[in-house]
Amino acid sequence: MSVIWHKVWYDLWSHKGRTLLAILSIAAGLFAVGGIFGLVDQLLSTMDAAHRSVAPSHVSIILRDFVTEDVVDELKETPGVAGIAAVNQLSVRYRTSPDGDWDLGTLMMRPNYDNQTYDLVSLKEGAWPSAGQIGIERLSSQYFDVALGDQVEFEIDGEPVALEVGGKIRHPFVQPPPFGGQANFFTDAAGLAEFGVPEGRFGQLLVQVEQPYSLARSQDVAGEIRSQLADQGYSVVVSLYQDPDKHWGRQFVEGVNLILMIMAVVSLFMSVVLVLSTLTSLITQQTDQIGVIKAIGGQQGIIFRLYLAVALFYGLAALLIAVPAGAAFAYFMSRWYLNLFNIDYQTFQVSRLAVGLQVLMAFLAPTLAALGPVLKGSRISVREAIASYGLGGDYRAGGLDRLVDRFGERYLSTPFATALGNMFRHKERLALTLLVLTMAGVMFLVITSLISSTLYTLDNEDARRGYDVRIGFAGEQDATEAVALAEDTGSVAEAEAWFTHNATILREGERLEDSAGLGAQLTGIPEGSEMVRPLVMEGRWLAPGDGQVVVMSQDTAEKNGIAVGDTITLDLGNLGDAAWEVVGTYRVVYGGGFVTEALYAPLSAVEEATGRAGRATRVMVRTTPKSLAATTIVADELKARFEEAGTKVDFYTTGVKLEEREFATNQFNTVVWMLVGLAALVATVGGIGLTGSLGISVMERTREIGVMRAIGAGSGTIMGLFLMEGVLQGLISWALAVPISFAVARPLAQLLGQTMIDVDLDFAYNWPAVLIWLALVVLIAVMFSTGPARSATRISVRQSLAYA
């Protein structure tokens, strides 16, 4: 090994602290890149593969009424239909213990579990449902703590009937319980008959359309099926669409992928800055050594390769740390996420995309960071190198230095003025350190503002919903009786009857597509109602005295080129059709389960158009207590009272406002905690950068520290100077981070809202977080400055004079 390479290893080993800091800073950035890109890659690919493996239906049509096999066979002849599987699912009341409260769940049935066609369910433990036994969906088993062999009581004809859980079944398309999904159970045709649904009757149709698949084709076919059913007197609750190649849960992860990737790249960029700062300081400190190398015949290329080798070593060592750590993070986070969506992920896997990016960046990032200081150092002349050596040789008093000195003399005490002056001695290093700390602050403040904006958006949506409990019925009810029954329930302050009816939107005889493909529903609201007032995007909301006017989804309006003031035709099936004027468009921030898209209209106009005066399909309730626990109790009591009165409650249109808010919050929380973890990682990288900067500063000023000790400066004074220098850098970075984060947070909030819920988030800058970051950055500065400061106090006069 040549003398030059001995020097490389000597520098790396003799300055182990500096070497470790550089390696850890790069490793932190590489870990963020590998962990996040690996997570995104594994999540999406695994979700899509799991989705394709269950032969997904293209359309799932939930019916209000049960149809016979003959009707299903007729529907199979509909143009564009490739196949239809008739199955069942209905709302049931259950409890897991004889003295427990009744809850609302879903009971599913397949005619033949051994010969399924679409949306394949799979047996994970135990046996398929049979006489006296039921199956439970696997996620429901985990979340509601129901095991094989447990007894679950169901209410059948008003009486509790206990059934044993005989199997755990995976259903690919159930809503995760943390996101609002209910308990799901399975039975066979004979078991369903005990719940009042005769064999050969079906309430759900799983439809596949002819290839090639397209959403437009699916919507056309579903619309035709709805029309045929309406002609025969059957109504549709909801039509759900899904892409056969893309998992339905993509929306929960795609919405934040871009932001996560941006932050991962920012983390890596910060690491590059730290490498740049480290190598710049190293070359500055060893300027005299470069001069000696050149004086004894060392060429510029040798010096260039020497320091480039140091940079590449940093990258390689960081890669060895970051690859396994990033792969483990990506795997375990993917496993946790995928479990939420009922997908098995047991075999440890490594994302080749993520590892490839890590390898590329491990060598590219340090190399690029090193090029500038290495070229600068390799070009220095022997005279310049030797002349730069000596006490105070690193200080050059320019205009900025004189300005800093005057500011310190006038406004600061001597220790602070000294620390401020020392901080500006190496402006390039100061700029790099401030860049890292400022970026850490910007990310922290942006992330907290995204969280605040999310909560603020949800709060505003809650304020637009005046009801506390929404009770939907499986069929029409007498409006007066429904309201009276609701208002007679304890803790109910006000109840209001709404009437809804499925509708097909037409224009010039052509069927239009609703935005989500869920099917439109004409929703009659009493005049002056404050139960719901959605976010109006264009036009206005309903007003007293309105006739046949509607407020429709803005997405549907944009999709079909409908503007405020246009007239559309609503086909109400066997109730005829009529023309309606569009007076406004709205958007929903978060939904309450799978429901049809509402076309809001005055109740009087809906009653006139349908001829169904005095009827109700939904009751909106405002309760006296406002907590989630209290309103849930009221909702359970209302559902029980309606069921006891012979009114069947519909799961899809029943809900508790605060519970839906909690489910929406849970969806965002899966993102929030990842962003918080990333912010902590970035803050750590910033602290590492500060430690490296001050550590190198201590080494550079070894002789000065000796002189200070020789004239009587104590350890406390010396330590205080370096701590103050670190704190001042933290304060300056804080002052820079606040305005930058304010400018950046708003567009990122809009991006997050558009990608996750297709609505701009209501922006709320987190001003308390400004003070929190001030405290944190001071704490970080003190913590990461303590090590270098203590090192400075250990330098004796003899050591400083011997330093070379």
Side-chain angles (χ1 to χ4, degrees):
M1 185 181 292
S2 68
V3 175
I4 293 297
W5 295 112
H6 273 296
K7 172 175 168 47
V8 170
W9 292 114
Y10 175 80
D11 284 342
L12 292 170
W13 185 253
S14 62
H15 299 95
K16 291 184 283 291
R18 181 179 64 202
T19 300
L20 182 60
L21 286 172
I23 291 172
L24 289 179
S25 67
I26 303 175
L30 293 178
F31 168 77
V33 169
I36 293 174
F37 279 87
L39 171 64
V40 170
D41 184 35
Q42 293 183 64
L43 272 182
L44 295 181
S45 61
T46 304
M47 291 171 76
D48 290 343
H51 180 68
R52 290 190 294 268
S53 69
V54 297
S57 60
H58 302 155
V59 190
S60 177
I61 300 176
I62 311 295
L63 307 172
R64 285 194 186 278
D65 315 291
F66 294 94
V67 299
T68 63
E69 292 186 33
D70 292 339
V71 173
V72 176
D73 290 338
E74 290 178 14
L75 294 175
K76 290 180 181 178
E77 302 302 320
T78 303
V81 171
I84 297 179
V87 298
N88 272 307
Q89 69 175 47
L90 66 151
S91 296
V92 293
R93 298 183 72 213
Y94 77 96
R95 60 187 181 188
T96 55
S97 62
D99 57 348
D101 294 329
W102 290 100
D103 289 311
L104 198 63
T106 302
L107 184 64
M108 303 183 182
M109 183 278 291
R110 297 296 172 88
N112 188 339
Y113 286 97
D114 294 320
N115 186 25
Q116 303 177 53
T117 307
Y118 307 129
D119 296 0
L120 309 181
V121 300
S122 56
L123 183 66
K124 308 306 291 186
E125 291 184 55
W128 290 114
S130 59
Q133 287 192 331
I134 58 167
I136 186 169
E137 210 289 319
R138 182 176 58 175
L139 281 185
S140 299
S141 173
Q142 295 173 3
Y143 191 81
F144 297 105
D145 194 24
V146 178
L148 292 180
D150 287 354
Q151 297 282 327
V152 178
E153 285 191 350
F154 293 88
E155 187 179 70
I156 302 177
D157 295 330
E159 298 294 329
V161 176
L163 297 174
E164 182 182 346
V165 176
K168 291 184 181 181
I169 298 170
R170 174 185 178 262
H171 191 298
F173 305 127
V174 293
Q175 191 175 15
F179 296 172
Q182 294 187 336
N184 291 272
F185 303 94
F186 295 85
T187 187
D188 57 8
L192 193 65
E194 297 184 25
F195 287 84
V197 181
E199 293 191 39
R201 297 287 183 130
F202 304 98
Q204 182 179 6
L205 306 176
L206 305 178
V207 182
Q208 277 200 352
V209 301
E210 294 176 349
Q211 296 296 328
Y213 167 82
S214 70
L215 177 60
R217 180 190 292 269
S218 295
Q219 291 173 334
D220 287 341
V221 169
E224 183 59 34
I225 290 175
R226 286 199 299 265
S227 296
Q228 291 187 40
L229 289 170
D231 291 340
Q232 299 182 56
Y234 300 106
S235 58
V236 173
V237 176
V238 62
S239 299
L240 306 176
Y241 298 86
Q242 58 187 359
D243 189 316
D245 295 315
K246 295 182 179 179
H247 192 276
W248 58 271
R250 266 178 166 263
Q251 61 173 322
F252 297 105
V253 293
E254 282 186 325
V256 293
N257 282 355
L258 181 59
I259 290 178
L260 289 176
M261 290 177 182
I262 290 173
M263 291 186 173
V265 172
V266 169
S267 300
L268 182 63
F269 176 72
M270 291 173 63
S271 298
V272 172
V273 172
L274 292 184
V275 176
L276 177 61
S277 176
T278 300
L279 288 174
T280 300
S281 301
L282 174 62
I283 291 171
T284 301
Q285 181 188 355
Q286 295 189 356
T287 301
D288 58 312
Q289 298 182 26
I290 294 174
V292 172
I293 293 172
K294 286 201 167 190
I296 62 175
Q299 299 298 313
Q300 179 176 325
I302 293 176
I303 298 171
F304 181 82
R305 290 196 298 273
L306 189 155
Y307 289 102
L308 193 60
V310 173
L312 291 175
F313 175 83
Y314 290 158
L316 178 60
L319 184 66
L320 295 177
I321 298 172
V323 167
F329 172 84
Y331 168 72
F332 287 108
M333 285 300 297
S334 296
R335 183 175 175 179
W336 178 75
Y337 260 96
L338 292 170
N339 182 68
L340 288 177
F341 299 104
N342 214 5
I343 297 173
D344 292 320
Y345 199 60
Q346 304 297 332
T347 304
F348 185 84
Q349 299 183 44
V350 177
S351 168
R352 286 182 289 183
L353 170 65
V355 173
L357 287 173
Q358 285 178 301
V359 171
L360 177 65
M361 299 310 295
F363 293 101
L364 185 61
T367 301
L368 292 177
L371 281 178
V374 168
L375 287 173
K376 180 180 178 181
S378 64
R379 290 170 181 167
I380 194 170
S381 67
V382 176
R383 184 189 62 78
E384 290 173 324
I386 295 177
S388 67
Y389 184 79
L391 182 66
D394 60 342
Y395 184 72
R396 297 289 182 271
L400 179 61
D401 299 296
R402 289 190 292 271
L403 181 63
V404 169
D405 288 341
R406 285 198 296 270
F407 178 85
E409 291 173 2
R410 178 172 298 184
Y411 297 107
L412 300 176
S413 62
T414 300
F416 277 101
T418 303
L420 182 65
N422 287 336
M423 192 173 67
F424 278 91
R425 291 175 69 165
H426 287 284
K427 301 174 187 61
E428 185 175 319
R429 184 194 309 153
L430 172 64
L432 293 173
T433 305
L434 287 178
L435 177 60
V436 172
L437 287 174
T438 301
M439 290 176 68
V442 168
M443 289 186 67
F444 176 85
L445 295 173
V446 166
I447 288 170
T448 54
S449 295
L450 289 178
I451 296 171
S452 295
S453 298
T454 298
L455 297 177
Y456 183 50
T457 302
L458 296 179
D459 287 341
N460 288 342
E461 179 70 3
D462 286 346
R464 290 188 286 267
R465 303 182 183 192
Y467 70 90
D468 297 301
V469 177
R470 185 183 65 248
I471 303 293
F473 307 129
E476 297 179 15
Q477 306 298 321
D478 182 275
T480 303
E481 293 178 1
V483 170
L485 189 151
E487 291 183 337
D488 192 44
T489 304
S491 300
V492 171
E494 181 184 355
E496 186 176 280
W498 288 15
F499 181 75
T500 62
H501 195 280
N502 291 339
T504 301
I505 307 173
L506 305 175
R507 186 169 56 188
E508 298 179 356
E510 296 293 327
R511 179 186 293 113
L512 302 183
E513 299 175 3
D514 54 86
S515 61
L518 299 177
Q521 191 172 70
L522 185 61
T523 303
I525 301 178
E527 183 175 303
S529 172
E530 293 295 331
M531 291 296 185
V532 169
R533 188 178 288 266
L535 179 62
V536 175
M537 306 302 292
E538 294 182 14
R540 63 173 176 84
W541 182 238
L542 303 175
D546 277 339
Q548 289 192 203
V549 301
V550 294
V551 178
M552 68 187 305
S553 162
Q554 187 182 45
D555 290 336
T556 296
E558 291 176 348
K559 189 171 186 177
N560 296 283
I562 299 173
V564 172
D566 288 353
T567 298
I568 59 174
T569 299
L570 297 182
D571 182 359
L572 305 178
N574 58 352
L575 297 182
D577 54 38
W580 299 75
E581 180 188 355
V582 178
V583 296
T585 62
Y586 71 91
R587 275 189 175 169
V588 176
V589 173
Y590 67 87
F594 296 120
V595 295
T596 50
E597 181 179 290
L599 292 163
Y600 293 107
L603 178 60
S604 57
V606 174
E607 289 179 335
E608 182 179 349
T610 60
R612 312 297 291 171
R615 309 297 292 171
T617 56
R618 192 177 303 174
V619 169
M620 312 298 285
V621 176
R622 185 179 287 120
T623 64
T624 303
K626 297 299 181 182
S627 68
L628 172 58
T631 53
T632 300
I633 292 173
V634 176
D636 291 340
E637 185 177 353
L638 283 168
K639 288 182 282 190
R641 293 199 66 184
F642 277 112
E643 293 279 356
E644 289 169 2
T647 301
K648 190 170 183 58
V649 174
D650 177 40
F651 155 69
Y652 294 100
T653 53
T654 295
V656 176
K657 181 179 74 171
L658 290 181
E659 186 177 53
E660 292 167 358
R661 162 62 187 271
E662 184 178 71
F663 296 146
T665 302
N666 288 343
Q667 294 176 25
F668 280 101
N669 281 345
T670 59
V671 176
V672 164
W673 287 113
M674 184 173 294
L675 294 176
V676 169
L678 195 57
L681 176 64
V682 171
T684 303
V685 173
I688 291 173
L690 182 60
T691 301
S693 175
L694 290 177
I696 293 170
S697 180
V698 168
M699 288 185 289
E700 290 176 345
R701 284 148 51 188
T702 297
R703 289 189 173 184
E704 294 176 27
I705 294 170
V707 172
M708 292 175 65
R709 280 198 172 281
I711 62 176
S715 296
T717 301
I718 295 172
M719 187 171 182
L721 284 175
F722 282 97
L723 284 176
M724 281 189 285
E725 188 173 335
V727 170
L728 283 174
Q729 292 185 59
L731 292 175
I732 293 174
S733 73
W734 171 81
L736 294 172
V738 173
I740 296 173
S741 65
F742 187 83
V744 171
R746 185 182 294 273
L748 282 180
Q750 293 174 343
L751 176 63
L752 180 63
Q754 287 294 335
T755 51
M756 287 197 69
I757 55 177
D758 200 28
V759 174
D760 287 349
L761 294 182
D762 296 328
F763 181 64
Y765 187 75
N766 195 326
W767 290 107
V770 172
L771 297 178
I772 294 173
W773 179 246
L774 175 61
L776 284 175
V777 79
V778 170
L779 179 62
I780 290 171
V782 171
M783 288 176 56
F784 285 90
S785 301
T786 300
R790 283 180 176 173
S791 298
T793 64
R794 298 191 183 106
I795 298 175
S796 65
V797 175
R798 184 188 62 81
Q799 289 174 315
S800 68
L801 294 177
Y803 178 76

